[in-house]
Amino acid sequence: MTDRDDSRLTRREFLAASLAAPVIFLVGTADGLEAFAATRELEATPACGDADDITPSQTPGPFFKPRSPERQSLLEPGIRGIRIVLEGYVRSTKCKPVPHALVDFWHADASGAYDNAGYRLRGHQFADDQGRYRLETIVPGVYPGRTRHFHVRVQAPNRPVLTTQLYFPGEPENKRDSIFNPKLVIALRDSAAGKSAAFDFALDLG
Ligand code: FE
């Protein structure tokens, strides 16, 4: 099975999410890898733009499972892989934080396999009062036909679910994955403990 679909989304410029410290963002685009330096301070209210910044939806693929455990860390004994912390805001396209938004992640292990029997590398959490979420996990492996990605569902309280995927910058397979969308690329940097990443979700809440 595959989690491709036939939708091919228009290329849009990737907007880097805010991070707490000066970093080098590596940004994958349809034209290849671009690196640029940026200094951003952690902001109480994240930078956000117009309705064009809405986070695009993508297919859930075949491996979603409901009722994942509530947890911010998907790390468990025996899990191999490069550690990554992904964090950011859930906000509306009008820049309002979405407190207590549901953020539900699932992704492949380092060898590209999903746990369809249990809940390894699956977990949901609720954003805090400022709309912030924080995920601690490993870098997903690639599997045939797909570039490296996280799956995620995001839902403001009592609102429709946004299902989408997040991508890594500079991945060779990004160019060959027909549903890859540069608007869904995380900001990524290396740290002593592994990798740190950021992505802000923008929900169309009307
Ligand atoms: Fe997948």
Side-chain angles (χ1 to χ4, degrees), residues 108-202:
D109 68 14
S111 64
Y114 286 84
D115 179 7
N116 296 311
Y119 287 93
R120 265 168 52 109
L121 301 175
R122 299 172 185 271
H124 75 270
Q125 59 182 281
F126 295 93
D128 68 13
D129 291 343
Q130 309 302 316
R132 283 193 65 87
Y133 73 92
R134 184 181 193 275
L135 176 74
E136 188 174 6
T137 187
I138 59 157
V139 175
V142 295
Y143 56 91
R146 292 304 318 277
T147 191
R148 198 178 312 279
H149 62 280
F150 292 114
H151 292 272
V152 61
R153 288 162 57 104
V154 184
Q155 184 179 27
N158 303 310
R159 301 301 295 264
V161 174
L162 168 71
T163 301
T164 191
Q165 302 184 31
L166 300 181
Y167 297 100
F168 285 71
E171 291 285 334
E173 293 299 321
N174 286 350
K175 290 179 179 176
R176 291 184 280 274
D177 189 318
S178 66
I179 68 168
F180 168 77
N181 183 340
K183 195 170 175 61
L184 294 168
V185 172
I186 58 177
L188 184 65
R189 62 179 171 142
D190 290 314
S191 69
K195 292 181 181 294
S196 297
F199 190 87
D200 294 342
F201 296 97

Side-chain angles (χ1 to χ4, degrees), residues 66-125:
R67 294 179 292 280
S68 69
E70 181 178 351
R71 52 184 175 178
Q72 285 192 305
S73 176
L74 307 185
L75 301 178
E76 297 176 40
I79 292 212
R80 295 180 303 103
I82 299 169
R83 301 287 191 267
I84 184 169
V85 173
L86 170 66
E87 52 193 337
Y89 289 91
V90 181
R91 58 173 171 76
S92 73
T93 49
K94 295 175 180 170
C95 303
K96 285 186 61 178
V98 182
H100 316 304
L102 171 68
V103 187
D104 191 353
F105 288 99
W106 72 104
H107 67 86
D109 68 14
S111 64
Y114 286 84
D115 179 7
N116 296 311
Y119 287 93
R120 265 168 52 109
L121 301 175
R122 299 172 185 271
H124 75 270
Q125 59 182 281

